[in-house]
Amino acid sequence: MKIGFGDCVFDPEARQVVRNGRPVPLSPKAFLLLDALLAARPKALSRGQIHERVWPATHVSESNLANLIVELRRALGDDADEPRYIRTLPRFGYAFRGDAAPLETDSRQAGSRGPLYRLIWGRREIALKSGVNLLGRDPDAVVWIDDESVSRRHARIVVGDGEVTIEDLGSKNGTRVGGRRIDRPTPLAEGDTLKIGPASMTLRILRRTGSTVSTMKSRAPR
């Protein structure tokens, strides 16, 4: 699936990166590095983890990774002093920063008969868009929760490929699904309850059939 961030598009199937509508030159190893950082986001990868992904069972010097980072930043238009995409963790490794969202969605969702996704929070009904939906204290969050116990970028819900998943973004107080604190991307289904700080929300998945809308059946309790 293509992933968009800033003015760039990462296309794993075509094995290319497009910036401002034009493919940018990128070596195979730099492409692998970007793939690894995007897959792990927002978590950081240690130098050892990157080495295993990019140079499996091969001994290379530390300068090889540094050179790949320089190449990647140049291709993405990133700045080491004020990075938009690649964050350096001294004496540890690197992480992808910034918003990145899938650009392709399941055809059932994109079509006129595809499901609609809603979060019910008290009397509020919040529509979830295709791709990334940020939850937290950030004013630009799709679900804005103005409470000190909630991190600025607390969690995200990703809608696409016929499924909905939620992921905690390293928040201090955690994200809970059905009362359980999650530590990895977690699939969501109709009727699942989410808790972030003082906010308790329920996911509703509405199926469109012609001119009518109905709620999908809940799955069995976990």
Side-chain angles (χ1 to χ4, degrees):
M1 173 180 289
K2 296 178 182 178
I3 299 176
F5 52 94
D7 53 7
C8 301
V9 175
F10 174 80
D11 187 343
E13 294 186 1
R15 294 194 64 80
Q16 70 175 4
V17 174
V18 175
R19 182 182 172 201
N20 291 323
R22 295 184 177 182
V24 295
L26 206 60
S27 69
K29 294 298 185 184
F31 187 89
L32 276 177
L33 173 57
L34 179 57
D35 188 17
L37 293 174
L38 283 169
R41 70 186 192 280
K43 297 179 181 179
L45 293 178
S46 68
R47 288 185 175 87
Q49 289 173 314
I50 294 173
H51 187 285
E52 290 177 3
R53 176 66 184 274
V54 180
W55 297 281
T58 304
H59 175 74
V60 296
S61 68
E62 289 290 333
S63 63
N64 287 56
L65 177 55
N67 290 337
L68 279 190
I69 291 293
V70 170
E71 178 187 350
L72 200 51
R73 283 193 167 125
R74 184 185 300 116
L76 302 180
D78 202 22
D79 187 335
D81 295 326
E82 297 182 3
R84 292 188 298 162
Y85 306 130
I86 302 173
R87 180 166 61 96
T88 302
L89 289 83
R91 297 183 297 279
F92 181 78
Y94 299 91
F96 186 89
R97 60 177 300 171
D99 290 330
L103 297 182
E104 296 176 351
T105 58
D106 186 83
S107 59
R108 290 172 299 172
Q109 179 185 335
S112 60
R113 294 177 179 269
L116 303 171
Y117 300 94
R118 300 285 188 267
L119 282 181
I120 308 302
W121 179 11
R123 296 184 178 181
R124 298 174 59 189
E125 183 174 325
I126 303 168
L128 298 175
K129 63 183 181 180
S130 298
V132 175
N133 297 265
L134 180 64
L135 296 82
R137 284 194 296 111
D138 192 313
D140 294 328
V142 174
V143 183
W144 182 55
I145 308 171
D146 188 19
D147 189 274
E148 291 184 356
S149 66
V150 176
S151 300
R152 182 172 176 270
R153 299 172 59 82
H154 196 103
R156 65 182 173 198
I157 293 177
V158 179
V159 176
D161 282 343
E163 66 176 4
V164 187
T165 59
I166 185 169
E167 179 181 3
D168 186 81
L169 298 178
S171 67
K172 180 179 179 180
N173 295 314
T175 300
R176 288 173 170 77
V177 176
R180 180 176 60 87
R181 184 164 178 166
I182 62 173
D183 58 4
R184 66 193 65 186
T186 302
L188 296 175
E190 159 66 27
D192 277 350
T193 57
L194 320 175
K195 188 168 179 60
I196 295 177
S200 181
M201 295 162 275
T202 302
L203 178 69
R204 288 286 178 252
I205 305 178
L206 308 176
R207 181 176 55 205
R208 291 180 286 196
T209 306
S211 60
T212 63
V213 176
S214 59
T215 303
M216 289 187 175
K217 294 181 180 180
S218 301
R219 66 182 173 192
R222 302 181 209 236

